[in-house]
Amino acid sequence: MKKFSCLIFFVLFVFAVYAEFKPQMKSLSSPDGKIKLEFSCSGCGIPFYKVSVDGKQFIDESELGISYNGSERTGHYIDKVSYRWDINEVWYQPLDENKENFSHFNEMTVVLQQDYLSYIKICFRVFNDGFAIKYEYDVKNAEKVILQDDCTMFAFIDDGMAWWIPADANTDEFEYKRTPINEVKRAAMPIAFKFDSGLYASVHEVALCGFPEMTLSRGENGVFLSVLSENTKISDSSKGMLPVKFSTSWRTVLIGRKAGDNYYLGASTDTTARRIGVPLSFLENDVEYEPTVYADGDNADTLDMRLASGGGQAVVFEKVKNGNK
């Protein structure tokens, strides 16, 4: 009986230890329920998230955070979590003709503590077509913050193709190039992806003010890491100086789905008439397409799109199967 009691105690002890150190996931879904984001802290206190789309993993466990003042990445724990549901928000942009914009999302705000060294608020918003992440920091026992870098990761599950330009502190005047994802080195924002799963994504940032802009670097393990621009650096190990209370821009991921075998191409312009050359390299090789153009244009390797003042143009590419649409 004593041996049996000891065995029960041992099993309960192991279960209690496992329950204590197993990450407790906090989750948030898009209003339509098709995109799900999960958040937790690892056993050593590193915050991370992961994302699934239509029930399939899209982004694997990816670390979060900002490095500053030689801070440790570990030791974080969840203090509290709050939610806002089914938010319809109107926001205004200072430039362009369409100043009024609408957003529909669910929101989760996680407050982290780090052994009384910092108070961190991570805000997640999940939309029907993507998600966004923003940090707010309150650093204790310091007069200023020496910013080292961004530690936000994007561990995309699938391979595929990418459209990007190199990150350069001196210029953005590059032509976008289309390469396999594994050939991306360090890219300026935005960067777009077409994954083998059929999903599309674009990584960018929104509401950038008082914080260095982000670039995206692909590591040897294939995980993308947000790296802050060199434009504001004050030394080899510092990307800038901030007050002890600071916030970042939103790190955003726009997610799209391929709608069957057809491709839809459209363009519009402002009050200025213009002509642009659109490369058709996004079409699949060795596949015949029949375009339907709803404006004048040439059926060639480069489509000549004539955009009238205040107007636009749309194109449907229908995949031809056995000589038929």
Side-chain angles (χ1 to χ4, degrees):
M1 184 65 181
K2 184 179 293 187
K3 290 183 179 180
F4 184 68
S5 299
C6 290
L7 179 61
I8 293 177
F9 175 78
F10 176 75
V11 171
L12 291 175
F13 175 76
V14 171
F15 178 79
V17 171
Y18 173 76
E20 180 179 355
F21 288 100
K22 180 184 178 182
Q24 301 299 306
M25 305 299 296
K26 309 296 181 182
S27 64
L28 180 71
S29 295
S30 58
D32 64 6
K34 295 182 179 180
I35 300 177
K36 181 180 180 181
L37 183 148
E38 296 178 277
F39 168 85
S40 190
C41 289
S42 66
C44 59
I46 298 177
F48 68 90
Y49 75 102
K50 57 183 179 179
V51 176
S52 60
V53 178
D54 299 329
K56 298 180 180 179
Q57 202 68 34
F58 176 61
I59 296 179
D60 206 352
E61 292 185 2
S62 302
E63 296 181 7
L64 294 163
I66 303 293
S67 61
Y68 62 91
N69 293 6
S71 58
E72 295 290 336
R73 300 279 294 113
T74 58
H76 298 89
Y77 61 91
I78 299 175
D79 184 25
K80 58 183 177 180
V81 180
S82 59
Y83 294 88
R84 294 199 302 157
W85 302 103
D86 203 27
I87 304 300
N88 290 285
E89 184 177 89
V90 180
W91 57 276
Y92 301 88
Q93 56 186 5
L95 302 174
D96 209 350
E97 297 173 337
N98 301 317
K99 294 185 179 298
E100 190 174 73
N101 298 271
F102 300 89
S103 295
H104 183 206
F105 58 89
N106 292 328
E107 181 180 279
M108 175 174 67
T109 301
V110 180
V111 176
L112 302 177
Q113 298 280 3
Q114 188 187 27
D115 299 329
Y116 304 102
L117 297 176
S118 64
Y119 171 95
I120 308 167
K121 183 186 294 184
I122 307 179
C123 186
F124 301 93
R125 289 181 177 178
V126 182
F127 307 78
N128 289 340
D129 57 357
F131 66 92
I133 303 171
K134 181 180 180 179
Y135 303 102
E136 295 182 16
Y137 274 75
D138 184 357
V139 180
K140 307 299 184 183
N141 303 319
E143 296 181 355
K144 58 185 178 182
V145 169
I146 304 299
L147 186 63
Q148 292 173 288
D149 221 322
D150 192 346
C151 301
T152 307
M153 295 183 180
F154 303 88
F156 295 110
I157 292 291
D158 293 317
D159 289 325
M161 303 299 294
W163 287 260
W164 61 289
I165 60 173
D168 189 305
N170 299 312
T171 181
D172 288 327
E173 298 296 326
F174 299 101
E175 290 189 4
Y176 269 83
K177 53 186 177 181
R178 177 178 181 264
T179 70
I181 289 178
N182 59 18
E183 293 182 13
V184 177
K185 297 179 176 62
R186 184 174 174 184
M189 297 294 97
I191 178 173
F193 301 98
K194 176 186 176 183
F195 297 102
D196 294 339
S197 63
L199 290 176
Y200 295 77
S202 177
V203 180
H204 204 1
E205 61 182 335
V206 175
L208 176 63
C209 181
F211 195 82
E213 64 181 351
M214 66 178 281
T215 65
L216 208 61
S217 178
R218 185 178 182 276
E220 294 182 358
N221 59 354
V223 174
F224 282 92
L225 172 66
S226 175
V227 178
L228 298 180
S229 170
E230 309 292 334
N231 291 335
T232 58
K233 75 174 186 178
I234 56 179
S235 69
D236 290 340
S237 61
S238 171
K239 298 295 180 66
M241 187 180 300
L242 297 173
V244 294
K245 293 184 179 181
F246 68 91
S247 60
T248 70
S249 59
W250 289 93
R251 282 89 179 88
T252 64
V253 178
L254 180 66
I255 301 171
R257 300 166 177 82
K258 180 180 177 182
D261 293 324
N262 298 338
Y263 289 84
Y264 296 83
L265 171 65
S268 62
T269 184
D270 52 21
T271 54
T272 303
R274 66 190 71 214
R275 298 177 69 175
I276 58 175
V278 181
L280 302 181
S281 57
F282 60 87
L283 297 176
E284 299 173 47
N285 294 326
D286 301 321
V287 176
E288 183 180 354
Y289 292 90
E290 180 176 328
T292 302
V293 182
Y294 295 95
D296 56 332
D298 299 324
N299 182 14
D301 291 339
T302 297
L303 186 63
D304 189 12
M305 304 187 74
R306 301 174 178 88
L307 308 182
S309 175
Q313 185 177 133
V315 182
V316 177
F317 292 93
E318 297 185 64
K319 190 172 184 178
V320 176
K321 298 179 180 179
N322 300 323
N324 299 314
K325 294 183 182 178

